[in-house]
Amino acid sequence: MNHVSIDAHPTEPAVVVTFDQQVPNSPSGSQPIRKRASSANIELSGHKKIIHLKELTPEVDIKTLSVVILQKCMYVPATSRAQLEQVLFYLQKRGTQRISARSRSSSAVGIDRRTPMLTADLNKVDEYIECFYGETSVEKNKGALALLELSKHSLNLMSLVQNETLMMALARVFREEYKRHTELSTNIMSIFVNLSKFLKFHGILLNHKIGSLCIGTLEHETKRYEMWTAELRRADAETARKINNAIRKQQLLLAVSVTFLTNVAFDISVELKIVRRKIVELLVKCLDMHSDTTNSLTTASAKFLLKLSIFKENITIMEQHSIVEKILKLFPSEDDELRKVVTKLLFNLSFNPLNVLKMVSGGLVPHMASLIQGDNKALNVLYLLSCNDDAKAMIAYTDAIQLLMRDVLSGTGSEVTKAVLLNICLEKRNAQLVCGPQGQGLDLLVEMALHSRDLMLIKVIRAISGHDGPTQAMFLKWIDDFVKIAKTEGADISESKSSFGLECMGTLAELKEARWAKIMQSENLVPWMKMHLQEGIQESSEITILRDTKPLQLQIVIACGTMARQLDAARLLIPLIDTFISLLQSSQIDDEFVVQLLYVFLQLLKHKVGGFFC
């Protein structure tokens, strides 16, 4: 043998033997080199041989150990004994220095800590497959780790997936080992996950029943988790530590299994088959397996549930298993990815009013309110929540109003932002917060609405005007502007202008504290109102009975009901009484219009000064 060098492994208690020439077969001819090397605990990797020293303690005699290695390992010549002893002495000294640190840092991880970092070679796939025929899980895991490293590079995937022997070996080992060796199973499933990222490999993976194996794994591990959690309640400290380590490893295996199923469910027919295996119930159970710190299993499960939630049947199953309550337990979350996924899932679930009630009672409103600045989906969820009266009241105690107002007034607010603001302004306390103590907020909204003719903003303003109290007085300075717009645009043929004018008229109809007699006289409102109210009355009796009430007419009648509350304004409405009576006779099919007309008559009759109907 030529050019033999002996070195210490950089991280492991092992001797690395490097040489240039292959060793001939054993003289005995009865035992192949590979088998003899395996019995001596030697890892074969081409022209580099690694001799693992599992029990190299400070008490081991280096000279005796070197003799044993020379006898068992044909790759180390007797002439290199001195060099071998020097390397062994170095490893023994290094191991003594590190033993305490290793004991303190030992914990549950996804790979075997004794496994050296591998530089995988695509040409050595057959050697990695042979590792799966080893007697120990450590040896099998070495092959899995090497193949996992290869699968991380997309250029290698075609060669791997076309190797039928490899695919069969991976499926076989996973099927045999997933109940016993979690780390090995996790590494193998991670290989499948890397393959499943590409649609063209899905058929091969499904032919090997990998999807069925994943579901079987989920069923087994969720049952085992329930057993472990029961044991934790009565376990001592050491047992609890071991169980928690096992649970952490279990979560990694389940996470890659769920990720694989999510990837292969790209085809709807495959997804339906997975759903029939009760995957929804299993995923909801996985949400219960989250630890104090968020983990990959929670995120993977939420992603698959999000994908499945586009179908009503799946949402029904989720609701039966208390999906909303389980998601709410994940808040607050520092994991951005998980938070975005569960927010989208909540959005899909929030179209059911019963789920909205659960979200509100479960305290979701403050969490969503804090996220609207950087997450549009959180804003969408807040909009659906803001349709609930209890949620409106809760928003007053968050920063949502400040954030919404800032976006709207800066011109960056979306229509959803304005819609949320509109909903929450239906709550009196929120409307007061929007206006501010001196009405600065209201002034800014009105100025922006009148300048931009923004229909959503004028709707917000109208919602604020409907509340009694100090906010009513804040509108008085804007009455003239609203009247002018209502008169000029309320009956415009342009839909956008007429809609804006109608909202202005509707805002005026809410202002009970305005000095209406003065306004009616200064703006000459009575003739204008009479002109629009009489439209259609002079038509033939058949058409008159079935006439449609125009939106502007309804708003004018509502405004007249507000004006009639004040005696001076009521006197000015006397010329319209005949018109009101004609409208009442011709609009019997419109219940709302009839009710508003009767309200006008009621307000007129409340005044002690009679003679209105004489």
Side-chain angles (χ1 to χ4, degrees), residues 528-542:
W528 175 79
M529 291 191 294
K530 186 172 184 178
M531 177 186 68
H532 286 287
L533 289 175
Q534 287 181 335
E535 291 183 4
I537 292 180
Q538 303 300 326
E539 298 174 4
S540 64
S541 58
E542 182 180 357

Side-chain angles (χ1 to χ4, degrees), residues 21-45:
Q21 186 176 3
Q22 290 283 0
V23 179
N25 289 338
S26 172
S28 64
S30 61
Q31 193 176 33
I33 291 177
R34 187 174 300 279
K35 186 174 180 181
R36 292 179 57 197
S38 177
S39 64
N41 194 29
I42 298 173
E43 180 184 336
L44 297 179
S45 57

Side-chain angles (χ1 to χ4, degrees), residues 10-281:
T11 59
E12 301 298 319
V15 176
V16 181
V17 182
T18 307
F19 56 92
D20 294 340
Q21 186 176 3
Q22 290 283 0
V23 179
N25 289 338
S26 172
S28 64
S30 61
Q31 193 176 33
I33 291 177
R34 187 174 300 279
K35 186 174 180 181
R36 292 179 57 197
S38 177
S39 64
N41 194 29
I42 298 173
E43 180 184 336
L44 297 179
S45 57
H47 297 290
K48 179 182 290 186
K49 314 303 174 186
I50 301 177
I51 306 173
H52 294 283
L53 307 170
K54 296 183 178 180
E55 299 180 358
L56 185 58
T57 62
E59 293 77 20
V60 173
D61 182 71
I62 296 300
K63 293 186 179 294
T64 304
L65 179 59
S66 65
V67 172
V68 173
I69 292 175
L70 288 173
Q71 290 176 348
K72 289 190 175 183
C73 183
M74 64 188 68
Y75 307 109
V76 183
T79 55
S80 300
R81 178 175 176 177
Q83 183 182 4
L84 175 61
E85 290 179 356
Q86 185 178 6
V87 170
L88 292 174
F89 178 76
Y90 167 75
L91 288 171
Q92 187 182 49
K93 185 177 180 181
R94 187 181 69 179
T96 303
Q97 294 172 345
R98 294 182 177 180
I99 187 169
S100 60
R102 286 199 303 271
S103 63
R104 287 194 302 268
S105 63
S106 61
S107 61
V109 293
I111 60 173
D112 194 319
R113 288 187 180 274
R114 296 174 298 172
T115 303
M117 297 299 293
L118 297 177
T119 303
D121 187 347
L122 190 60
N123 296 321
K124 298 179 181 179
V125 171
D126 291 341
E127 294 185 22
Y128 304 145
I129 295 175
E130 288 189 26
C131 291
F132 292 146
Y133 296 92
E135 297 179 356
T136 65
S137 62
V138 173
E139 187 173 357
K140 295 176 182 178
N141 201 33
K142 289 175 182 177
L145 283 170
L147 292 167
L148 176 58
E149 187 66 27
L150 288 175
S151 70
K152 293 177 181 178
H153 304 282
S154 58
L155 295 178
N156 298 333
L157 295 180
M158 184 60 74
S159 298
L160 295 178
V161 81
Q162 289 179 343
N163 190 325
E164 185 67 17
T165 302
L166 170 63
M167 297 302 295
M168 293 178 65
L170 289 170
R172 175 187 61 81
V173 175
F174 184 86
R175 185 182 301 106
E176 294 173 353
E177 302 290 344
Y178 80 88
K179 294 182 180 180
R180 296 179 295 176
H181 301 295
T182 306
E183 296 171 5
L184 172 60
S185 303
T186 301
N187 291 327
I188 293 176
M189 185 52 63
S190 297
I191 298 172
F192 292 139
V193 169
N194 291 336
L195 292 170
S196 68
K197 294 176 182 178
F198 297 89
L199 182 61
K200 60 183 178 181
F201 299 144
H202 286 186
I204 298 175
L205 293 169
L206 295 175
N207 285 339
H208 287 280
K209 309 294 183 182
I210 308 303
S212 180
L213 288 175
C214 285
I215 296 176
T217 302
L218 287 170
E219 293 171 343
H220 177 264
E221 295 299 331
T222 50
K223 292 178 182 177
R224 186 153 65 169
Y225 174 79
E226 294 173 357
M227 179 187 68
W228 283 342
T229 52
E231 291 181 8
L232 275 175
R233 300 188 186 98
R234 57 180 183 273
D236 54 30
E238 180 62 21
T239 303
R241 183 186 65 82
K242 292 180 180 179
I243 293 176
N244 285 325
N245 287 340
I247 289 176
R248 281 193 288 270
K249 293 180 181 180
Q250 178 192 60
Q251 289 173 346
L252 291 175
L253 173 58
L254 290 176
V256 292
S257 299
V258 171
T259 302
F260 176 85
L261 292 173
T262 306
N263 291 346
V264 298
F266 181 86
D267 189 311
I268 188 64
S269 62
V270 176
E271 181 178 314
L272 291 175
K273 291 180 181 178
I274 296 174
V275 169
R276 283 195 288 269
R277 293 287 300 273
K278 299 185 178 181
I279 188 63
V280 178
E281 297 97 301

Side-chain angles (χ1 to χ4, degrees), residues 359-580:
M359 294 176 195
V360 174
S361 61
L364 182 63
V365 173
H367 296 302
M368 288 296 105
S370 64
L371 299 175
I372 61 175
Q373 187 173 8
D375 190 343
N376 289 332
K377 193 58 68 175
L379 182 65
N380 293 339
V381 174
L382 187 63
Y383 167 73
L384 293 172
L385 295 178
S386 67
C387 297
N388 179 276
D389 291 338
D390 291 335
K392 293 184 181 74
M394 293 179 185
I395 289 176
Y397 302 96
T398 69
D399 295 331
I401 293 177
Q402 180 182 353
L403 296 174
L404 293 169
M405 285 291 289
R406 185 182 63 188
D407 287 348
V408 168
L409 296 176
S410 65
T412 59
S414 65
E415 292 301 301
V416 179
T417 305
K418 299 169 188 175
V420 175
L421 193 61
L422 172 59
N423 282 351
I424 66 176
C425 282
L426 296 174
E427 174 73 21
K428 185 174 182 178
R429 174 59 179 159
N430 293 333
Q432 292 173 342
L433 292 174
V434 168
C435 292
Q438 304 299 325
Q440 306 95 322
L442 177 63
D443 292 343
L444 292 171
L445 282 176
V446 174
E447 288 176 359
M448 188 170 187
L450 297 184
H451 178 265
S452 63
R453 288 297 195 269
D454 191 311
L455 185 59
M456 284 298 294
L457 284 184
I458 197 64
K459 287 179 180 290
V460 173
I461 294 166
R462 181 179 178 180
I464 297 173
S465 69
H467 299 291
D468 297 329
T471 53
Q472 286 269 317
M474 299 175 184
F475 281 89
L476 298 182
K477 68 175 73 173
W478 299 103
I479 287 180
D480 291 342
D481 297 281
F482 290 144
V483 170
K484 290 176 182 178
I485 295 174
K487 290 176 65 176
T488 57
E489 300 183 13
D492 198 281
I493 58 174
S494 170
E495 184 177 354
S496 60
K497 285 188 176 182
S498 63
S499 297
F500 195 86
L502 286 173
E503 294 299 329
C504 289
M505 195 67 206
T507 302
L508 291 170
E510 300 288 351
L511 303 180
K512 303 176 181 64
E513 296 185 8
R515 299 174 61 183
W516 280 114
K518 182 179 179 181
I519 296 169
M520 292 167 68
Q521 290 174 336
S522 62
E523 298 292 342
N524 199 23
L525 279 180
V526 175
W528 175 79
M529 291 191 294
K530 186 172 184 178
M531 177 186 68
H532 286 287
L533 289 175
Q534 287 181 335
E535 291 183 4
I537 292 180
Q538 303 300 326
E539 298 174 4
S540 64
S541 58
E542 182 180 357
I543 299 177
T544 301
I545 295 174
L546 300 176
R547 63 185 290 275
D548 292 330
T549 304
K550 294 182 178 179
L552 181 58
Q553 290 177 320
L554 177 60
Q555 295 304 321
I556 290 174
V557 171
I558 295 174
C560 288
T562 302
M563 297 172 187
R565 293 164 61 96
Q566 302 175 8
L567 179 58
D568 293 341
R571 287 194 177 108
L572 296 176
L573 291 175
I574 292 176
L576 297 178
I577 290 178
D578 291 339
T579 304
F580 290 150

